[in-house]
Amino acid sequence: MENRHSQNLAPVSANGDDVTTWALPEGAIARLGRGCEPGMTFSADGQFLAIGTAMGLWLYDLETLSPIALWETERGMVFQIAFSPNGKWIAAGNSDKVLKVLDIQNGACLAERKVDDYIEGLTFSYNNQYLAAAYARSGTVEVWHAETCKSVAQLTTDTEEASFNSPICFSPDTRLIASTSPSDTTDDAEAIVVWDMESGQQIASLTAHTYWISTLCFSPCGKFLTSGGEDGTVYVWDVSTWQQVQSYTDFGDVYRIMPSYSPEGILRAAIVNYDDTGPATITVRDLESGEQLYNDQFWGNTVQFAGERGWGNTVAFSNGSQLAYECRHEFINVWTPEYPYKRQFIHSPISFPVYERTSVSFPTAMFSDDGETLAVKYHHEGVVLWDIASRRSRPAVKVESAGKNQFLYKTDNGKFYVASIKDDNVTLWEADGNGPPLIEGTGREYWSAFPALSPTGKLFAYAGKDGNLQVWDVQHGKKLYELTHPLELSDDEDDDEALCDLQFSFDGKILASESRSNSPQVILWDVELGEEIETSPSNTYTSILGWLVLRKLKPKSREVVHISHDGKYLSSIGDDSYLYDVKQDDYLSRFSLPQGLEDMFWVAEFSMCGKYFAAGTWWREGMEKMVICLWEVETGKQIVTFRGHPTDVHALAFSPDNTLLASASYDGSILLWDLTPYL
């Protein structure tokens, strides 16, 4: 098995390699995180677990639970994967509608094909001759020769409509192929569709499930077809008559049920049950005897549990005895016959950094003053702290009750703080500490403005949906006063005015609150007196912090995108890209963007010293690698251009000494770029 690169740093592979240095783009020295949205599958021989992610395809050794290869990083976005039964190949489908067959020994591409639609389900035939895929937007299944990707057949359902999940499987004799399509019984129901491979004709449409179907599998003898649905049922169908011969129900509140036959023909199922107030439960059960073979509680993402497309990829169950599932978007838990107990390995974090428009007040990535730690706000994990030396992560708030809806702050003295919102309760924590919260407040509705911490760390403010602002003394953990931002409430709930932004000025003396309505306004508050200073119309193109800087000035343009950490400089990125000197009230320099990408830059950041400015792009069709550009502020000269992430750049951060630039992407990884050759 070919391994990637060799350097003795942690985290390591089975052979001691530093996996953070595998398959790096030019200019990068490390990759933190292993990609979001994992799709997992086991090899037939039980040797490997493959994990397809937005940044590439990982191959893990099941004995050691260590990565042994990383492939397909050139484009990434690998979401559908399947092993061939003979263990020679792995098929991968990406979001560019490209299908590849790779050699399992070295990751070499044996065959490649551009397809017409997004692949939703992918499988090999038992004789290894064919590869089939169910498409996401049509009721079509396409079949290819496995070694060449030459098309053999296109099978279309009578409805010609796509199902929600599109599982797909061959019969053991490769005579039949089954997938799903919408049912005409109810709006949410799905039917099982079966085709004859030789004639290409649809020969059966099986309707019993009342919701979408997550899993299909034939028995090893080929006499039965079994389906598992999100209605919490498992049905067994006789292949000779297409009559239902068995059903299994009474599994409780089911998120997902995945039936699978053991090689001996024993039908088992992995069942995920949920409780709105607690962790999910996953069990493996022998369906005929009712024997429970495995049981575990774990925390996952309830949004995905509720039916988000692709959630099923975070649980893999095959051969009636191989189970892998994601826990907290941080760990992968594995249960196999060789090790009949839970084993766990880190694959973290595997969601994506949150992008905030108001990036100065609510940054999503920041280095500590000593440059040893990078703090990143993630969509599912909350705020995570990365140790740059070891390249390992840890939660910024270790208390589980804090929840994962978190906000990151860094004060003038260099300390990190985290605000957490859960069940309309607000807490403020000192990051990486083990003590109780500094502040515990109530009455902050979900859709209210984000909380705000003053640059000195002395004051904390949050807003309710009704426009009430609470201002707290952080040191003493006491509420100082409440303010009221008048809102124009209407009978139409969608048109209700609400507070959409809340920020402190750089000196911490002013708190600004902005309301959202047809005529948005900003109110400035004197935080020492707790009194209103002035009310003015807001500018939707400018963050509140930019508005606070500019309100006494009148530059030629108010479309401010970013502000430097000390408030001295402003930036605008687009057709007219420039850097603006606030003190001089004049343009400092203009700079150019790569041709054709002028409208693709959306994330930008100044270095802590204010000498440098970086910006990154978001993805659009046809782009393979996102662009990150670095400029000198005083001259507007472009210093270097990096290309690395396969999709949107969500955050940028300079190390204090300007030796590193960190870019956090929607692909679930962070790239550390070496700036020493350029600065």
Side-chain angles (χ1 to χ4, degrees):
M1 181 65 62
E2 178 179 311
N3 290 286
R4 299 287 191 245
H5 304 281
S6 177
Q7 188 176 353
N8 191 22
L9 293 174
V12 297
S13 71
N15 293 334
D17 299 339
D18 175 20
V19 301
T20 70
T21 65
W22 287 4
L24 291 174
E26 183 178 357
I29 62 171
R31 180 189 288 108
L32 310 180
R34 300 186 189 177
C36 69
E37 300 190 39
M40 300 185 290
T41 188
F42 291 93
S43 63
D45 59 10
Q47 291 188 56
F48 308 120
L49 175 68
I51 303 179
T53 74
M55 56 148 289
L57 174 62
W58 292 89
L59 193 65
Y60 280 80
D61 179 90
L62 272 177
E63 183 177 353
T64 63
L65 295 184
S66 298
I68 54 177
L70 172 60
W71 301 323
E72 291 301 297
T73 57
E74 296 81 9
R75 177 65 189 104
M77 311 305 288
V78 179
F79 299 130
Q80 295 296 333
I81 50 177
F83 280 102
S84 63
N86 61 12
K88 292 182 178 181
W89 313 310
I90 184 169
N94 70 19
S95 63
D96 290 337
K97 305 175 188 176
V98 174
L99 174 66
K100 292 184 180 182
V101 178
L102 308 177
D103 187 326
I104 198 67
Q105 289 301 313
N106 54 27
C109 182
L110 302 178
E112 179 177 341
R113 186 180 182 93
K114 179 76 172 179
V115 297
D116 297 329
D117 196 357
Y118 296 104
I119 293 174
E120 188 70 23
L122 191 62
T123 188
F124 281 91
S125 61
Y126 285 80
N127 63 4
N128 305 291
Q129 186 175 353
Y130 300 113
L131 176 64
Y135 287 138
R137 295 180 177 176
S138 66
T140 300
V141 166
E142 187 160 11
V143 183
W144 303 273
H145 281 292
E147 292 187 76
T148 64
C149 280
K150 289 184 178 180
S151 184
V152 174
Q154 282 198 342
L155 312 173
T156 303
T157 63
D158 294 339
T159 61
E160 297 186 1
E161 294 182 17
S163 63
F164 183 78
N165 189 57
S166 300
I168 185 172
C169 64
F170 281 96
S171 62
D173 59 6
T174 316
R175 183 175 61 88
L176 305 174
I177 188 169
S179 187
T180 60
S181 72
S183 172
D184 56 7
T185 56
T186 65
D187 290 340
D188 295 325
E190 287 188 342
I192 303 167
V193 180
V194 184
W195 289 273
D196 181 277
M197 275 290 293
E198 184 176 351
S199 67
Q201 297 300 308
Q202 179 177 323
I203 61 173
S205 179
L206 313 177
T207 56
H209 289 284
T210 58
Y211 202 40
W212 56 284
I213 299 167
S214 61
T215 308
L216 291 173
C217 59
F218 282 93
S219 61
C221 64
K223 295 180 180 180
F224 304 104
L225 173 63
T226 298
S227 58
E230 300 308 285
D231 53 6
T233 59
V234 172
Y235 293 112
V236 181
W237 312 83
D238 187 314
V239 170
S240 62
T241 64
W242 298 119
Q243 296 299 307
Q244 184 191 132
V245 295
Q246 186 60 270
S247 63
Y248 300 95
T249 58
D250 194 24
F251 297 114
D253 294 323
V254 174
Y255 275 123
R256 170 73 30 103
I257 185 164
M258 304 175 69
S260 174
Y261 285 94
S262 72
E264 300 77 24
I266 301 172
L267 181 58
R268 296 167 178 160
I271 306 158
V272 181
N273 299 96
Y274 71 95
D275 183 335
D276 290 337
T277 62
T281 300
I282 189 165
T283 59
V284 176
R285 187 183 305 180
D286 184 316
L287 293 184
E288 186 172 344
S289 69
E291 180 186 2
Q292 182 173 284
L293 306 176
Y294 179 81
N295 178 268
D296 183 36
Q297 287 189 328
F298 71 105
W299 291 90
N301 173 18
T302 55
V303 174
Q304 288 184 322
F305 281 167
E308 180 180 315
R309 180 183 290 272
W311 176 84
N313 291 337
T314 60
V315 177
F317 184 55
S318 63
N319 292 322
S321 56
Q322 296 171 322
L323 176 68
Y325 55 100
E326 176 193 344
C327 179
R328 290 193 179 281
H329 303 273
E330 187 171 1
F331 301 98
I332 303 294
N333 294 333
V334 176
W335 174 76
T336 59
E338 293 77 15
Y339 301 93
Y341 49 84
K342 181 175 74 174
R343 295 190 295 157
Q344 188 175 75
F345 65 91
I346 295 175
H347 193 85
S348 71
I350 46 179
S351 72
F352 50 88
V354 177
Y355 168 73
E356 305 293 0
R357 177 72 178 179
T358 52
S359 59
V360 175
S361 283
F362 305 111
T364 56
M366 292 184 290
F367 277 94
S368 60
D369 283 354
D370 58 14
E372 295 179 358
T373 303
L374 177 67
V376 182
K377 174 187 174 183
Y378 283 89
H379 184 68
H380 295 310
E381 293 84 2
V383 178
V384 171
L385 303 179
W386 287 95
D387 183 84
I388 299 301
S390 68
R391 298 172 187 174
R392 295 186 180 275
S393 64
R394 62 188 185 276
V397 179
K398 299 179 178 64
V399 179
E400 298 291 351
S401 60
K404 299 300 182 182
N405 183 20
Q406 298 177 358
F407 307 88
L408 172 64
Y409 312 93
K410 184 180 177 183
T411 56
D412 292 340
N413 63 3
K415 294 182 69 174
F416 286 131
Y417 291 85
V418 175
S420 179
I421 309 296
K422 185 177 181 181
D423 300 328
D424 294 344
N425 297 321
V426 184
T427 49
L428 181 69
W429 308 77
E430 187 174 332
D432 215 20
N434 295 316
L438 303 173
I439 289 174
E440 296 182 85
T442 59
R444 190 274 185 194
E445 287 88 352
Y446 178 75
W447 292 110
S448 304
F450 296 158
L453 182 69
S454 66
T456 61
K458 294 181 178 180
L459 298 177
F460 179 70
Y462 64 89
K465 189 177 180 181
D466 56 4
N468 289 331
L469 310 176
Q470 294 190 29
V471 181
W472 290 66
D473 180 327
V474 174
Q475 183 178 357
H476 299 94
K478 295 182 179 180
K479 183 169 66 175
L480 296 177
Y481 46 76
E482 290 191 9
L483 307 170
T484 301
H485 185 127
L487 300 177
E488 299 175 4
L489 303 179
S490 67
D491 294 334
D492 187 345
E493 190 173 307
D494 293 336
D495 294 334
D496 281 355
E497 188 175 18
L499 291 182
C500 61
D501 209 349
L502 190 66
Q503 297 188 26
F504 284 95
S505 59
F506 280 102
D507 58 12
K509 296 181 179 180
I510 297 174
L511 175 65
S513 57
E514 181 178 14
S515 58
R516 177 189 64 227
S517 66
N518 292 329
S519 301
Q521 64 176 3
V522 173
I523 298 180
L524 305 185
W525 309 89
D526 184 315
V527 294
E528 292 184 359
L529 301 176
E531 298 177 352
E532 181 181 333
I533 299 174
E534 63 177 87
T535 301
S536 302
S538 70
N539 186 322
T540 57
Y541 294 101
T542 306
S543 69
I544 268 195
L545 201 52
W547 190 92
L548 284 168
V549 173
L550 292 173
R551 66 191 181 89
K552 298 292 184 182
L553 307 172
K554 299 187 181 296
K556 297 176 183 178
S557 172
R558 293 179 56 98
E559 295 185 6
V560 178
V561 175
H562 276 76
I563 249 183
S564 64
H565 295 269
D566 54 10
K568 292 181 179 179
Y569 303 115
L570 309 175
S571 71
S572 178
I573 306 177
D575 293 334
D576 182 20
S577 301
Y578 61 83
L579 296 165
Y580 189 84
D581 189 313
V582 173
K583 185 176 182 180
Q584 299 299 322
D585 192 11
D586 199 1
Y587 293 103
L588 182 66
S589 62
R590 279 184 162 82
F591 58 93
S592 61
L593 301 172
Q595 188 174 1
L597 300 177
E598 291 86 357
D599 61 337
M600 304 308 297
F601 284 86
W602 71 333
V603 170
E605 185 64 37
F606 285 89
S607 63
M608 294 299 294
C609 63
K611 293 181 179 180
Y612 307 104
F613 177 72
T617 60
W618 62 308
W619 179 87
R620 71 177 173 194
E621 191 168 356
M623 293 179 66
E624 292 191 352
K625 292 294 183 182
M626 300 308 102
V627 174
I628 299 170
C629 293
L630 178 67
W631 293 272
E632 186 178 58
V633 170
E634 286 192 3
T635 64
K637 176 185 176 182
Q638 185 174 331
I639 300 172
V640 65
T641 298
F642 298 119
R643 286 177 169 84
H645 295 288
T647 190
D648 309 345
V649 178
H650 274 202
L652 295 166
F654 287 87
S655 63
D657 59 2
N658 297 323
T659 59
L660 293 176
L661 175 65
S663 59
S665 169
Y666 187 78
D667 67 11
S669 74
I670 300 167
L671 289 173
L672 299 181
W673 304 93
D674 183 7
L675 299 183
T676 53
Y678 313 104
L679 304 183

